[in-house]
Amino acid sequence: MEKEMILELLEQRKFKELKEELESMHPVDIVEMLEDFDQKQQMLVFRLLAKEEAAEVFTDMNSDMREDLINALTDSELEEVMDEMYVDDTVDVLEEMPANVVDRLLMVTDEETRQKINILLQYPDDSAGSIMNVDYISLRKEMTVADAILKIRQVGINKETIYTCYVTEKKKLIGAVDVKDLLTAGESRLIEEIMDENVLCAKTLDDKEDVAITIKKYGLVAIPIIDHENCLVGLVTVDDAMFVLQDETTEDISIMAGVSPNEDSYFGTSVFKHAKNRTLWLMLLMLSATVTGEILGHYEAAMAVMPVLITFIPMLMGTGGNCGSQSSTLIIRGLAVGEIQFKDIFRVIFKEIRVAFVVSCLLAVVNGIRIYIMYDQNLTLAFALGLTMMAVVVMAKCIGCTLPLLAKKLGLDPAIMAAPLITTILDTCTILVYFNIVTAVFHL
Amino acid sequence: MEKEMILELLEQRKFKELKEELESMHPVDIVEMLEDFDQKQQMLVFRLLAKEEAAEVFTDMNSDMREDLINALTDSELEEVMDEMYVDDTVDVLEEMPANVVDRLLMVTDEETRQKINILLQYPDDSAGSIMNVDYISLRKEMTVADAILKIRQVGINKETIYTCYVTEKKKLIGAVDVKDLLTAGESRLIEEIMDENVLCAKTLDDKEDVAITIKKYGLVAIPIIDHENCLVGLVTVDDAMFVLQDETTEDISIMAGVSPNEDSYFGTSVFKHAKNRTLWLMLLMLSATVTGEILGHYEAAMAVMPVLITFIPMLMGTGGNCGSQSSTLIIRGLAVGEIQFKDIFRVIFKEIRVAFVVSCLLAVVNGIRIYIMYDQNLTLAFALGLTMMAVVVMAKCIGCTLPLLAKKLGLDPAIMAAPLITTILDTCTILVYFNIVTAVFHL
């Protein structure tokens, strides 16, 4: 395996071969490898990397590794790395570092970059500005295609993306030209002839998730970002968008499991942070579950007369909870990917009711038969439980599909209306339905 | 709003203005608008679209709309649309269409395209081959940069992506050149001098999700796809990758809610299909929940002596289920985004046990106090419940974090170890723990 080979070369101090080996590796893979190395080995490898590769590796590292590295590097080495980095990546790095490290990093960056950094640092965490890239290529409409290509030749080398160039007039965004069009158009044609004037763009303060969704929806490689005066200030690229979307999904999924979302990774989060993120919901649900308990308590008499009733409670509560979670989850995801909107609420309810009817019939029959067999042909009991099952399933599906939509309408995150809350709500409802039916059927 | 304006222009039959209006709209937006139009209006609008735009709109439509449209279009109109479409999109269309429509579509496509289509149709649904794009630009290593740019000029116009060009020798992939490098390198330099030789690529039969993950991991715009003989046969672009990842996440989320995953959208799925997708799990869980019921039945005696014990069951089962789901969900997501692997199992368990300890202390105390107050200072009861709570939480977190990892190890989808199953398993365990503790404490 590559890693073993690298380690061997390290021990034998065969730095020349090592250097060659590293050049053939992708920065992402180098980082993955370094994670298993001790600090001394990390430093040795890092110092052998070519400037650009070193910068990329530095960008991809996790913050702990990065901090150790910064402390170990000399100012001049650090400066070399910083020079090769894109400003937006530098900002991401700075945001994670302790003050003293930040000062040191800023010390070794040139004035111009420092200004760009300060501007980027001002954008709120969830804004497009905070993830945008400020190294873009802007053209003028009076340029010819040849001029444009020449400009890309000159400045393109240190731009993260050149696939789309933006046309500006007094800094204002007036159009976009795809490099594809530049290459395929006649050299003497003017940019204004081939530029696309209705170019999709986003504002610096737009929610970064919305921007990512736009990039996905329209299949863009990058989207230009403009400020409140419609001046072009940067762009967000598709690879950044993918990570934004992944983080948002992870956030949704944690909320759906009753865990307060968390920027850091699972292992990156301390035990107490984990506990904190999970306790709030558990506490809330535990206390609300006591309501169910109290209600259950009111039927002690009935259960005293017919103790067998107790044995059906887990099955009914479980099935109710699962039915509800199924519906709510499908709706929450539908809302997240923009497949369902609030205006569809009645279509959704109608659909869920029909689904519930089919499902509940099946469950009721299977369950009825089981009870008929297991409880010496007690037809009334089978009937009562079948009836309860149907009522519970229909109720569960209706509540399960409605609450996320209402949450959305009220501007809440629909994800809070997932399994944990739905289940707790349904437990109460299920007990009520169950005992009202059985007490009626058996005149308890 | 745009839509109203379009409708107005349609009624007034102002086709010239309408044409202009449509030209300024993005195909994706046109499709969204058409969805609210009746078929006659759809046809009118579609016929007014420019060739290329028509093809894009046709590609973005849902299958029902598309089928209606195909039936309404004449063969020559259909031919024009097909000519403008990318082969991979054509294949996606064909896969959704009924046989008679497919025949008609193939009739109007030229021989060369038809051959490409037949090849693509043979790849399994979940393979990279099934989503790859066969319109790519390949260069030869002996070309100069100028030659390469010239070639892109000539053939680039009808390629979906030209951002990365691939260098082949006897059809075998030997390198890649970024358009950026082409533009920034000297015109007279040879491709072999500037090409990147260790180029990341995937095989036609690789799982499309793995390919999408690679694209995200390395921040690629596209990845070349090679066949078993290492010959370049196509490429997968980042925008396709984003949709693959979204579908995979949706699939995971449904499985996590105990719903069999489903290719189609929520509304696109029939009531019976929905019922079918949900019943299996519900049935399974319902029947296994009866086990819990039976066990509960065994403690009738204890509950007869101390009826108050019943009232704590919902709270204990609820909290246990929620704790377990929290852990399993975090692990399942961690596995999905590659943040956690099976080898981390002991780190995970150790972490969860510590988290569980903190959480359970908090819950036990709050719960104990509540009980102490609500049940006239019954300290023993408060103690017994506090103890149960701690045992249940620790147990829930351990089971919740272990099962997904074991599933992964056994080659199962970890997502099946989510809330529904975990909750059902934990219900049984909780009841056992609870009654063993209380019967011991109160000598029942």
Side-chain angles (χ1 to χ4, degrees):
Chain A
M1 207 287 259
E2 209 145 34
K3 188 183 140 197
E4 279 61 36
M5 199 172 61
I6 300 280
L7 276 173
E8 209 183 303
L9 291 172
L10 258 178
E11 279 153 20
Q12 302 164 348
R13 316 194 70 65
K14 291 191 182 160
F15 295 130
K16 199 173 158 305
E17 294 86 331
L18 188 51
K19 219 167 149 46
E20 279 160 13
E21 201 44 53
L22 290 167
E23 265 159 24
S24 73
M25 280 176 75
H26 192 291
V28 174
D29 297 321
I30 296 180
V31 172
E32 261 184 10
M33 181 182 70
L34 288 181
E35 277 164 2
D36 306 336
F37 284 10
D38 64 40
Q39 222 201 315
K40 203 168 145 300
Q41 294 167 321
Q42 288 179 2
M43 279 309 299
L44 270 170
V45 171
F46 192 82
R47 289 208 159 98
L48 286 172
L49 295 172
K51 265 192 198 175
E52 287 169 36
E53 203 167 23
E56 285 185 54
V57 167
F58 186 77
T59 311
D60 293 336
M61 287 179 174
N62 66 51
S63 44
D64 303 347
M65 243 170 107
R66 211 182 276 133
E67 205 177 327
D68 298 341
L69 194 68
I70 294 174
N71 297 328
L73 287 173
T74 69
D75 281 359
S76 58
E77 286 174 320
L78 201 53
E79 192 169 353
E80 278 189 349
V81 176
M82 300 297 284
D83 288 347
E84 290 294 331
M85 281 173 69
Y86 296 114
V87 178
D88 59 330
D89 295 330
T90 316
V91 171
D92 297 340
V93 171
L94 290 175
E95 281 173 332
E96 288 170 346
M97 293 291 136
N100 60 323
V101 181
V102 173
D103 295 341
R104 201 165 151 233
L105 288 172
L106 287 177
M107 243 168 50
V108 300
T109 48
D110 58 89
E111 182 52 33
E112 187 201 351
T113 323
R114 217 177 301 132
Q115 283 172 355
K116 286 185 183 170
I117 291 172
N118 287 326
I119 296 165
L120 286 180
L121 281 170
Q122 285 157 17
Y123 294 111
D125 259 3
D126 60 351
S127 71
S130 72
I131 56 165
M132 78 181 174
N133 185 318
V134 291
D135 304 305
Y136 54 85
I137 293 184
S138 65
L139 306 171
R140 292 190 321 283
K141 70 182 199 305
E142 57 274 13
M143 284 177 158
T144 64
V145 168
D147 300 336
I149 292 179
L150 191 66
K151 173 157 189 187
I152 296 175
R153 278 244 168 76
Q154 291 158 349
V155 301
I157 200 84
N158 44 29
K159 304 300 178 192
E160 194 170 354
T161 176
I162 62 155
Y163 304 133
T164 321
C165 302
Y166 301 104
V167 188
T168 54
E169 192 168 42
K170 303 200 191 67
K171 293 200 168 172
K172 296 212 180 343
L173 179 68
I174 59 168
V177 182
D178 200 293
V179 166
K180 185 167 152 183
D181 303 327
L182 275 181
L183 286 176
T184 47
E187 292 208 323
S188 59
R189 295 190 64 190
L190 290 177
I191 293 302
E192 68 184 320
E193 297 168 21
I194 63 166
M195 74 180 184
D196 178 4
E197 275 161 21
N198 36 60
V199 43
L200 279 162
C201 62
K203 288 218 156 45
T204 45
L205 295 179
D206 288 352
D207 184 316
K208 64 182 180 189
E209 185 182 8
D210 299 336
V211 175
I213 289 172
T214 310
I215 289 177
K216 183 166 110 254
K217 182 178 172 189
Y218 296 100
L220 307 171
V221 178
I223 189 167
I225 307 294
I226 58 175
D227 65 14
H228 55 285
E229 289 162 323
N230 299 328
C231 293
L232 181 64
V233 289
L235 52 83
V236 172
T237 51
V238 61
D239 51 331
D240 297 326
M242 286 178 104
F243 282 100
V244 170
L245 291 175
Q246 174 178 311
D247 293 346
E248 294 293 337
T249 312
T250 305
E251 200 178 299
D252 276 5
I253 292 178
S254 353
I255 297 173
M256 287 167 75
V259 180
S260 326
N262 188 355
E263 287 285 304
D264 310 323
S265 68
Y266 175 83
F267 288 117
T269 312
S270 73
V271 169
F272 284 98
K273 190 89 197 301
H274 267 298
K276 191 171 144 294
N277 292 338
R278 306 186 199 181
T279 310
L280 177 72
W281 268 104
L282 290 174
M283 200 66 81
L284 203 86
L285 297 167
M286 177 183 79
L287 295 177
S288 40
T290 60
V291 178
T292 320
E294 291 308 307
I295 294 169
L296 199 53
H298 287 135
Y299 296 103
E300 272 169 23
M303 288 184 275
V305 184
M306 269 185 83
V308 68
L309 292 180
I310 300 169
T311 61
F312 303 121
I313 293 174
M315 176 197 71
L316 290 169
M317 292 206 317
T319 309
N322 290 329
C323 285
S325 322
Q326 285 183 329
S327 306
S328 69
T329 307
L330 291 178
I331 302 305
I332 291 168
R333 184 60 182 167
L335 286 165
V337 299
E339 198 177 280
I340 300 175
Q341 282 115 35
F342 179 76
K343 65 174 171 61
D344 301 319
I345 186 162
F346 294 110
R347 266 176 84 195
V348 169
I349 295 175
F350 180 52
K351 187 145 203 151
E352 286 300 312
I353 288 180
R354 285 175 297 163
V355 175
F357 186 74
V358 180
V359 171
S360 60
C361 289
L362 291 164
L363 295 180
V365 169
V366 173
N367 195 40
I369 294 170
R370 176 185 72 87
I371 290 165
Y372 184 73
I373 297 164
M374 286 174 66
Y375 298 88
D376 36 38
Q377 282 93 56
N378 183 337
L379 202 55
T380 337
L381 188 64
F383 166 74
L385 264 296
L387 189 64
T388 311
M389 183 58 78
M390 293 192 70
V392 167
V393 171
V394 175
M395 173 187 71
K397 293 261 172 232
C398 291
I399 294 178
C401 74
T402 315
L403 290 186
L405 289 163
L406 292 179
K408 179 81 176 179
K409 183 70 177 174
L410 298 173
L412 301 167
D413 184 342
I416 59 172
M417 296 302 181
L421 189 57
I422 294 279
T423 320
T424 315
I425 296 171
L426 285 173
D427 283 351
T428 316
C429 308
T430 305
I431 295 295
L432 283 171
V433 171
Y434 176 44
F435 280 99
N436 279 304
I437 290 179
V438 287
T439 44
V441 173
F442 297 102
H443 317 294
L444 298 169
Chain B
M1 208 286 254
E2 208 145 31
K3 189 183 140 197
E4 279 61 35
M5 197 171 63
I6 299 281
L7 276 173
E8 209 183 302
L9 290 173
L10 258 178
E11 279 153 20
Q12 301 164 350
R13 316 192 73 61
K14 291 190 182 162
F15 296 130
K16 200 172 159 307
E17 295 85 332
L18 186 52
K19 216 166 151 52
E20 279 160 14
E21 200 45 52
L22 291 168
E23 265 160 23
S24 73
M25 280 176 78
H26 192 291
V28 173
D29 298 321
I30 296 180
V31 172
E32 263 185 8
M33 181 182 70
L34 288 181
E35 278 165 0
D36 306 335
F37 285 9
D38 64 40
Q39 220 201 316
K40 203 166 145 301
Q41 295 168 320
Q42 289 180 2
M43 280 309 299
L44 270 170
V45 171
F46 191 82
R47 290 205 158 101
L48 285 173
L49 296 172
K51 264 193 199 171
E52 289 170 34
E53 203 165 25
E56 286 186 54
V57 167
F58 185 77
T59 310
D60 294 335
M61 286 180 175
N62 66 52
S63 44
D64 303 347
M65 242 170 107
R66 210 181 276 134
E67 204 176 327
D68 298 342
L69 193 66
I70 293 173
N71 297 330
L73 287 172
T74 69
D75 281 358
S76 60
E77 285 173 319
L78 201 53
E79 193 170 353
E80 280 191 348
V81 176
M82 301 295 284
D83 287 347
E84 291 295 329
M85 280 173 73
Y86 297 114
V87 177
D88 60 330
D89 296 331
T90 315
V91 172
D92 297 339
V93 171
L94 290 174
E95 281 172 332
E96 289 170 345
M97 293 291 137
N100 60 323
V101 182
V102 172
D103 296 340
R104 201 166 150 231
L105 288 172
L106 286 177
M107 242 167 51
V108 298
T109 48
D110 57 273
E111 183 52 32
E112 187 200 352
T113 324
R114 216 177 301 131
Q115 283 171 356
K116 285 184 185 171
I117 291 173
N118 287 327
I119 296 164
L120 286 179
L121 280 170
Q122 285 156 20
Y123 293 111
D125 256 3
D126 61 351
S127 71
S130 72
I131 56 164
M132 78 182 175
N133 184 319
V134 292
D135 303 306
Y136 55 85
I137 293 184
S138 66
L139 305 172
R140 291 190 323 282
K141 68 180 197 311
E142 57 275 12
M143 282 178 160
T144 64
V145 168
D147 299 336
I149 293 180
L150 191 66
K151 174 158 188 187
I152 295 175
R153 278 245 167 73
Q154 290 158 346
V155 300
I157 199 83
N158 44 28
K159 304 300 177 192
E160 194 170 354
T161 176
I162 62 156
Y163 304 133
T164 322
C165 303
Y166 301 104
V167 188
T168 55
E169 194 169 39
K170 302 202 191 63
K171 290 200 169 168
K172 294 208 180 351
L173 179 68
I174 59 168
V177 182
D178 200 293
V179 166
K180 186 169 151 181
D181 303 327
L182 276 181
L183 287 176
T184 47
E187 291 208 324
S188 58
R189 296 191 61 191
L190 290 178
I191 292 302
E192 66 184 323
E193 297 167 21
I194 63 166
M195 74 180 184
D196 178 3
E197 275 163 17
N198 36 60
V199 43
L200 279 162
C201 61
K203 290 221 153 49
T204 45
L205 295 180
D206 288 352
D207 184 317
K208 64 183 180 189
E209 185 181 8
D210 300 336
V211 175
I213 290 171
T214 310
I215 289 178
K216 181 166 111 256
K217 183 177 172 190
Y218 296 99
L220 307 171
V221 179
I223 189 169
I225 306 295
I226 57 176
D227 63 15
H228 55 285
E229 290 163 322
N230 300 327
C231 293
L232 180 64
V233 287
L235 53 83
V236 172
T237 50
V238 62
D239 50 331
D240 298 326
M242 286 179 104
F243 282 100
V244 170
L245 292 176
Q246 174 178 311
D247 293 346
E248 294 294 338
T249 312
T250 305
E251 198 176 301
D252 277 5
I253 292 179
S254 352
I255 296 172
M256 287 168 74
V259 179
S260 326
N262 189 353
E263 287 285 302
D264 309 323
S265 69
Y266 176 83
F267 289 117
T269 312
S270 74
V271 168
F272 284 98
K273 190 88 195 300
H274 267 297
K276 189 170 144 298
N277 292 338
R278 306 186 198 182
T279 311
L280 178 72
W281 268 104
L282 290 174
M283 199 67 81
L284 203 87
L285 297 167
M286 179 182 78
L287 295 177
S288 41
T290 60
V291 179
T292 321
E294 291 309 307
I295 295 168
L296 198 54
H298 288 134
Y299 296 102
E300 272 171 20
M303 287 184 275
V305 183
M306 267 185 85
V308 68
L309 292 179
I310 300 169
T311 61
F312 302 121
I313 293 174
M315 177 197 69
L316 290 170
M317 292 205 318
T319 309
N322 290 329
C323 284
S325 323
Q326 286 183 331
S327 306
S328 68
T329 306
L330 290 178
I331 303 304
I332 291 168
R333 184 60 182 168
L335 286 165
V337 299
E339 197 177 282
I340 300 175
Q341 282 116 36
F342 179 77
K343 66 174 171 60
D344 301 319
I345 187 161
F346 296 111
R347 267 176 83 197
V348 169
I349 294 173
F350 180 52
K351 186 144 203 154
E352 285 300 312
I353 287 178
R354 287 176 295 162
V355 175
F357 186 74
V358 180
V359 172
S360 59
C361 289
L362 290 165
L363 294 180
V365 169
V366 173
N367 194 41
I369 295 170
R370 177 185 72 85
I371 291 166
Y372 184 72
I373 297 166
M374 285 175 67
Y375 299 88
D376 36 40
Q377 282 95 56
N378 184 335
L379 201 55
T380 337
L381 188 64
F383 165 75
L385 264 295
L387 188 65
T388 312
M389 182 60 77
M390 293 192 71
V392 167
V393 172
V394 175
M395 173 187 70
K397 293 260 173 235
C398 291
I399 295 178
C401 74
T402 317
L403 290 187
L405 289 163
L406 292 179
K408 179 82 178 179
K409 183 69 178 174
L410 298 173
L412 299 168
D413 184 341
I416 60 171
M417 295 303 180
L421 190 57
I422 294 279
T423 320
T424 314
I425 296 170
L426 286 172
D427 283 351
T428 316
C429 308
T430 306
I431 296 295
L432 283 169
V433 172
Y434 177 43
F435 279 98
N436 278 303
I437 290 178
V438 288
T439 43
V441 173
F442 297 102
H443 317 292
L444 297 169

